[in-house]
């Protein structure tokens, strides 16, 4: 026997072998349809008996194996079923002849045979026959199973007769010697009458009867016969048949101990009828008769428990039997099959190590030269058996050998598909799976070198199968999962191979389904490149949306009554990992930053890299990048545009590397750090872009709030200069710009500003709204820089110095000689005056213009954007006021303001004030100018410019009042400067140089005194003319603008003449007389009221006369400041009376 049956198991010893074969031309599909129905009848309950017959069907059985039927009867073909097609009566004789020829092949061992004819109609088909069954078609054959059962019963009758015939002890008859094929030539010429020969014949026949009993369902009898055969054969050293008897004994014991079978097939061999339990229960009662009345149990006196081997003894007897088989070279198939049967038994007993010893012995059993198909079958069965005993890697080893055998060079047409299928089955044994997710968690399992070899073989088999998609998938899997174990050269080789395959068939994320239903999941390249972190980026500062503050303020969560709870804080922390606290805007480009690393030893080109999102329609804008070899962390920014609103979740990213498209999900990247993956997308907002008439600034403002400035512009101005900043507002978005608010904030300056630094009129711009996309609106901002013009250096000498020219002061003023010069304690150093650098220091002003704008759907949802424009102004000094003082004017309601003006520029400069001539100053020159101004009624200013309900610091209040006074004075002075060469001009402010003394001199007294002579107000240099001899009316009027009542007062009028040489003549009793008293009495005057006193003067001589008015030293006048009691000068010119005209 040369063809082993690797599927055999111990319980096959009780089966009858039936061969089912086609005769003539039968479609393979139709044949196997009928074969499947026939093989379903695998066990039949014997009629009128408790025994069960088991049938083993084969559609192919080598005739040479049938020659070993006497050695083990389950190897003998006892039944033949042939299937044929016959369409006409003419074909019937030929068909029947073929049936007989088929029977002759197994004729010596057949018990019975059947012919199933399909397709024949007519008289022949209607003739009743026992050995032939006619069916119209393959679909109309309902009685096939019944015919098979009848056929099996006929086999049982023959089997039973042979068993009884062989089991009957016929002492007078000579027992034939049963032989195996290779023994026949050895027994020629032996003495057949010797006792040794007879024992051999008896032992072999007893073993043969045991086989027949086992097939006939008489387990107890077979055990008895096997024991007897073992004793007889052992005594004559008939080792081959002794091994067969021991194997039979083991098989019967296995059938008893393991009624479910040892073959590992689904379902029990004895599932039908429960025959074993019935048999085991009855134990074939002694003396029980069969249906034909013959005593079936010849050894009922021997208990089964005594004859049946224990599970441990079964293995020992198997070892002994196999050792006997090993003595015969021609019994290699028998030895191999015995090893396989023992392994199956040991697998049931969970004795893996002993089973592996049997399998190891089976590996080294030498058979004849096997065909490639037989080798594949042998290694596959070894693999299956190793799998059953838990030796998974050993199983995979033999499965791989079988796979390689499928593509052996000696095969004309290698079976690459079978090779590939077997290689796939080896993967679990080497701790490999086709799912890359199994390699992303924990440490690597299995031997990486072996796994890589196997994956390479899968790739090669796929290529030889002509399936490039499989090649790409397996190579991708190799590169993804084994990257850490590949050498630099191997990485280059694998990637080159991958690129060559993807040029024909790009790698995709589709699941590949094999013909047998196995699914190959996609292999995303999560390591090419390796992503360390994913961070969703906020929009640029100028594009970030802000929520308009609700009238109710910030909504406070009312879920918990506690101000702080650690449980709430913990839950919020988890939520923060999922949702981010900023928003994206519909229609705007959003960014996600990835920190990536290239583990390859060469430059890695990543193409078509973009984002994978859910929740919102998102347009991903792919990027391409090139990473240096083994680069460190490299930032990559992926962008996209959300098209709708809602919650968007960034699930991962997609790439194209080496022609393989990958969708890499963050959930499958456990080591990736992220600040959250979910962000809210709000409705679309307009986008504002600003451009200005000023150049961009190199200085970048850093506001304290942390906001970023989108644009910075700079300008250079002289102190006091005003310039227009023209800003063009362009709507570069897709939504209309509907709302605009502009605010300004001065930052990073310690300089004191006077007046409005930035001013604008927004109404002109809002008239152009709503601003459609692509449209431009103009916005004008006035930049006015007014810093402190004061300087502490006294560059001019005192007022009494003759070399100093005073601009604007009449030299004929009578008060010029009266004013006492101030004594300077610090003399002027001419060298210091040349140090112009102290006055050329450039000061810096910085401000931020904030444009708060909104429109479109985002405006309806209460969102807006803020765009900041940084303004950097360099202020160069123009003029300085180094000193300020006052001189009285001829009018009590006026005074002269003296200013020392210094030109700190490098250009010629003119300075002017209201009603004054221009004063020309050369570069670095200082001159004094006098300005005649009306005094100011500062008392009319409110006491508190803020709400009276608030407590205001007294010092701050005083500063605000002084600032208001300075503003009022400056507006009246209207001092301007011009630089003709540069065509630039500006204002000059005295607000910073005013001191308390000057303010007091400039303040209008609360008590206003008016003196009228002859109805004419006497003030300044006004001269009242009267005639000698005519009484001149004199009125003294007091108006009280203070907050309290004043008076009473007493004034004395004292006339005098001024000789213009410092001499005043008061002895004028003969020249002037008063009509009444020369003392005027004024009663108490209430606030805002006035009082008038009337008197008269009479001039006796001509001339220029002055009145000196003195207050009486009483309590009323003593309590008031002297500045309140300042009266105007009175100048009266007496002339000769005009003679009347002569008629």
């Amino acid at each position: 026997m040369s063809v082993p049956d690797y599927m055999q198991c111990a319980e096959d010893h009780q089966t009858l072998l039936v061969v089912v074969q086609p005769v003539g031309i039968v479609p393979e599909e139709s044949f196997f349809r009928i074969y499947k129905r026939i093989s379903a009848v695998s066990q039949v309950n014997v009629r009128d008996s408790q025994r069960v017959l088991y049938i083993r069907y084969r559609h192919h059985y080598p005739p040479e194996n049938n020659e070993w039927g006497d050695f083990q009867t389950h190897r003998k073909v006892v039944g033949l079923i042939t299937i044929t097609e016959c369409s006409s009566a003419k074909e019937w004789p030929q068909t029947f002849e073929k049936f007989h020829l088929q029977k002759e092949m197994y004729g010596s061992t057949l018990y019975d045979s059947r012919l199933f004819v399909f397709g024949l109609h007519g008289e022949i088909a209607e003739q009743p026959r026992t050995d032939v069954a006619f069916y119209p078609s393959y679909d109309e054959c309902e009685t096939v199973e019944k015919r098979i059962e009848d056929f099996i019963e006929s086999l049982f009758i023959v089997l039973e007769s042979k068993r009884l015939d062989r089991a009957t002890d016929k002492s007078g008859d000579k027992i034939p010697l049963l032989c195996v094929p290779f023994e026949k030539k050895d027994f020629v010429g032996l003495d057949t009458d010797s006792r040794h020969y007879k024992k051999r014949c008896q032992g072999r026949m007893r073993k043969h009867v045991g086989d027949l009993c086992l097939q006939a369902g008489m387990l107890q009898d077979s055990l008895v016969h096997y024991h007897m055969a073992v004793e007889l054969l052992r005594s004559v050293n008939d080792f081959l048949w002794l091994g067969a008897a021991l194997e039979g004994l083991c098989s019967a014991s296995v059938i008893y101990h393991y009624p479910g079978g040892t073959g590992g097939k689904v379902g029990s061999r004895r599932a039908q009828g429960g025959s074993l339990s019935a048999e085991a229960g009855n134990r074939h009662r002694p003396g029980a008769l069969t249906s034909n009345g013959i005593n079936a149990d010849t050894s009922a006196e021997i208990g089964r428990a005594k004859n049946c081997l224990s599970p441990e003894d079964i293995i020992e007897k198997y070892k002994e039997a196999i050792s006997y088989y090993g003595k015969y070279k021609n019994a290699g198939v028998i030895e191999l099959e015995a090893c396989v049967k023992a392994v199956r038994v040991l697998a049931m007993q969970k004795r893996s190590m002993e089973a592996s010893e049997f399998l190891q012995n089976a590996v080294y059993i030498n058979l004849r030269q096997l065909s490639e198909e037989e080798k594949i079958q042998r290694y596959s069965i070894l693999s299956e058996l190793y799998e059953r005993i838990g030796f998974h890697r050993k199983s995979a080893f033999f499965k791989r050998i079988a796979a390689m055998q499928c593509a052996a060079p000696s095969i004309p047409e290698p079976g690459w598909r079978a090779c590939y299928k077997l290689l796939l089955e080896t993967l679990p044994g080497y701790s490999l799976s086709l799912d890359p997710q199994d390699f992303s968690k924990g440490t690597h399992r299995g031997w990486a070198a072996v796994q890589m070899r196997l994956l390479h073989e899968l790739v090669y088999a796929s290529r030889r199968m002509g399936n490039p998609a499989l090649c790409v998938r397996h190579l991708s899997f190799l590169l993804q999962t084994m990257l850490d174990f590949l050498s630099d050269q191997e990485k280059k080789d694998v990637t080159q191979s991958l690129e060559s395959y993807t040029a024909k068939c790009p790698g995709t994320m589709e699941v590949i389904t094999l013909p047998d239903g196995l699914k190959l999941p996609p292999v995303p390249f999560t390591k090419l490149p390796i992503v360390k972190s994913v961070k969703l980026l906020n929009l640029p500062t100028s594009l970030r949306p802000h929520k308009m503050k609700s009238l109710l303020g910030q909504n406070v969560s009312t879920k918990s009554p506690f101000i702080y709870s650690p449980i709430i804080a913990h839950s919020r922390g988890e939520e923060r990992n999922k949702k981010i606290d900023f928003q994206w805007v519909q229609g705007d480009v959003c960014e996600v930053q990835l920190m990536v690393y290239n583990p390859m030893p060469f430059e890695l080109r990543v193409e078509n890299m973009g984002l994978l999102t859910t929740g919102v329609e998102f347009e991903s804008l792919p990027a391409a990048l090139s990473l240096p070899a083994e680069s460190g962390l490299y930032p990559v920014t992926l962008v996209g545009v959300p098209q709708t609103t809602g919650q968007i979740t960034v699930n991962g990213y997609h790439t194209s590397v080496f022609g393989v498209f990958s969708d890499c999900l963050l959930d499958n990247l456990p080591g990736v750090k992220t600040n959250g993956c979910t962000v809210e997308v709000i409705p679309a907002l307009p986008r504002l872009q600003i451009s200005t008439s000023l150049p961009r600034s190199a200085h970048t403002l850093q506001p304290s709030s942390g906001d970023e400035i989108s644009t910075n512009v700079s300008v250079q101005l002289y102190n006091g200069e005003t310039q227009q900043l023209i800003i063009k507002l362009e709507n570069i978005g897709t939504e209309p710009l509907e709302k605009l608010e502009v605010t300004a904030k001065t930052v990073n300056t310690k300089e004191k500003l006077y007046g409005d630094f930035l001013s604008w009129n927004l109404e002109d711009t809002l008239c152009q709204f709503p601003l459609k996309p692509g449209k431009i609106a103009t916005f004008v901002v006035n930049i006015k820089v007014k810093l402190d013009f004061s300087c502490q250096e006294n560059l001019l000498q005192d007022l009494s110095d003759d070399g100093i020219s005073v601009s604007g002061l009449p030299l004929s003023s009578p008060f010029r000689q009266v004013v006492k010069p101030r004594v300077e304690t610090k003399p002027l150093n001419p060298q210091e005056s040349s140090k112009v650098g102290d006055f050329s220091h450039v000061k810096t002003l910085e401000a931020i213009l904030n444009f708060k704008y909104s429109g479109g759907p985002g405006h309806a949802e209460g969102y807006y954007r803020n765009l900041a424009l940084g303004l950097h102004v360099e202020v160069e000094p123009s003029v300085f006021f180094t000193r300020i003082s006052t001189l009285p004017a001829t009018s009590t309601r006026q005074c002269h303001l003296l200013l020392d003006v210094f030109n700190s520029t490098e250009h010629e400069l003119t300075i002017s004030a209201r009603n004054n001539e221009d004063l020309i100053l050369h570069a670095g020159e200082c001159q004094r100018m006098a300005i005649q101004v009306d005094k100011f009624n500062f008392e009319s200013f409110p006491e508190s410019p803020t709400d009276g309900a608030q407590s205001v610091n007294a010092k701050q209040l005083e500063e605000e009042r002084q600032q208001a006074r300075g503003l009022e004075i400056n507006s009246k002075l209207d001092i301007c400067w011009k630089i003709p060469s540069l065509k630039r001009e500006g204002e000059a402010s005295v607000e910073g140089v005013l001191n308390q003394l000057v303010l007091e001199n400039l303040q209008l007294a609360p008590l206003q005194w008016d003196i009228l002579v002859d109805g004419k107000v006497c003030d300044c240099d006004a001269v009242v003319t009267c005639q000698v001899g005519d009484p001149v009316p004199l009125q003294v009027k007091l108006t009280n603008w203070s907050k309290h009542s004043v008076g009473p007062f007493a004034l004395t009028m004292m006339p005098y003449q001024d000789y213009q040489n410092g001499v005043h003549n008061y002895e004028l009793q003969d020249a002037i007389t008063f009509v009444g008293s020369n003392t005027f009495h004024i009663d108490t005057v209430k606030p805002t009221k006035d009082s008038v006193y009337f008197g008269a003067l009479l001039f006796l001589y001509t001339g220029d006369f002055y009145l000196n008015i003195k207050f009486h030293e009483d309590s009323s006048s003593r309590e008031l400041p002297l500045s309140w009691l300042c009266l105007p000068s009175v100048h009266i010119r007496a002339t000769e009376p005009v003679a009347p005209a002569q008629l």
Side-chain angles (χ1 to χ4, degrees), residues 535-540 582 584 588-594 611 618 636-642 650 679:
K535 182 179 181 182
L536 276 65
L537 301 181
N538 200 348
L539 293 174
F582 57 77
W584 284 350
D588 282 3
V589 176
C590 304
E591 298 178 334
V592 177
Q593 187 183 70
L594 279 65
L611 295 172
F618 187 80
V636 175
T637 302
L638 301 181
V639 298
V641 180
V650 177
V679 68

Side-chain angles (χ1 to χ4, degrees), residues 145-162:
E145 288 81 359
K146 183 66 174 65
R147 292 268 188 168
I148 297 299
E149 291 179 2
D150 295 342
F151 172 65
I152 293 173
E153 288 186 1
S154 69
L155 294 179
F156 172 73
I157 293 172
V158 177
L159 172 67
E160 187 67 10
S161 64
K162 286 184 177 290

Side-chain angles (χ1 to χ4, degrees), residues 113-182:
S113 60
R114 291 289 185 272
L115 172 64
F116 287 176
V117 182
F118 292 89
L120 187 62
H121 302 273
E123 296 180 0
I124 300 177
E126 294 175 358
Q127 296 176 3
R129 302 186 61 163
T130 57
D131 60 341
V132 181
F134 296 96
Y135 296 103
S137 66
Y138 293 104
D139 297 325
E140 301 176 13
C141 52
E142 294 82 3
T143 60
V144 167
E145 288 81 359
K146 183 66 174 65
R147 292 268 188 168
I148 297 299
E149 291 179 2
D150 295 342
F151 172 65
I152 293 173
E153 288 186 1
S154 69
L155 294 179
F156 172 73
I157 293 172
V158 177
L159 172 67
E160 187 67 10
S161 64
K162 286 184 177 290
R163 183 189 69 80
L164 292 173
D165 182 59
R166 300 290 175 90
T168 304
D169 186 9
K170 300 177 181 179
S171 56
D173 297 339
K174 190 174 182 179
I175 301 175
L177 178 65
L178 301 176
C179 300
V180 294
F182 71 86

Side-chain angles (χ1 to χ4, degrees), residues 779-798:
F779 178 63
V780 179
V781 178
N782 294 316
I783 306 174
K784 187 176 183 179
V785 290
K786 285 174 64 176
L787 299 179
D788 193 358
F789 285 83
S790 64
C791 179
Q792 301 300 323
E793 294 291 339
N794 182 16
L795 300 183
L796 293 183
Q797 298 178 6
D798 212 322

Side-chain angles (χ1 to χ4, degrees), residues 706 807 985 1018:
S807 173
E985 60 182 14
C1018 294

Side-chain angles (χ1 to χ4, degrees), residues 882-927:
T882 62
R883 180 172 159 184
I884 185 171
S885 60
T886 57
L887 285 178
T890 53
S891 171
T892 58
R893 294 180 181 158
Q894 292 182 334
C895 72
H896 293 282
L897 186 65
L898 302 181
L899 294 171
D900 292 353
V901 186
F902 174 69
N903 178 10
S904 62
T905 69
E906 298 178 354
H907 308 277
E908 186 180 275
L909 178 145
T910 62
I911 188 164
S912 63
R914 184 176 295 177
N915 301 326
N916 270 50
E917 296 180 356
D918 292 351
L919 178 63
I920 299 176
L921 296 175
H922 297 287
E925 183 183 1
C926 181
Q927 290 194 33

Side-chain angles (χ1 to χ4, degrees), residues 10 20 34 157 261 273 282-283 431 449 486 648 654 665 889 902 932 1077:
V20 183
I34 302 302
I157 293 172
N282 293 323
R283 303 292 185 190
S431 301
L486 293 172
I648 184 171
H654 62 81
L665 302 179
F902 174 69
Q932 183 174 316
S1077 175

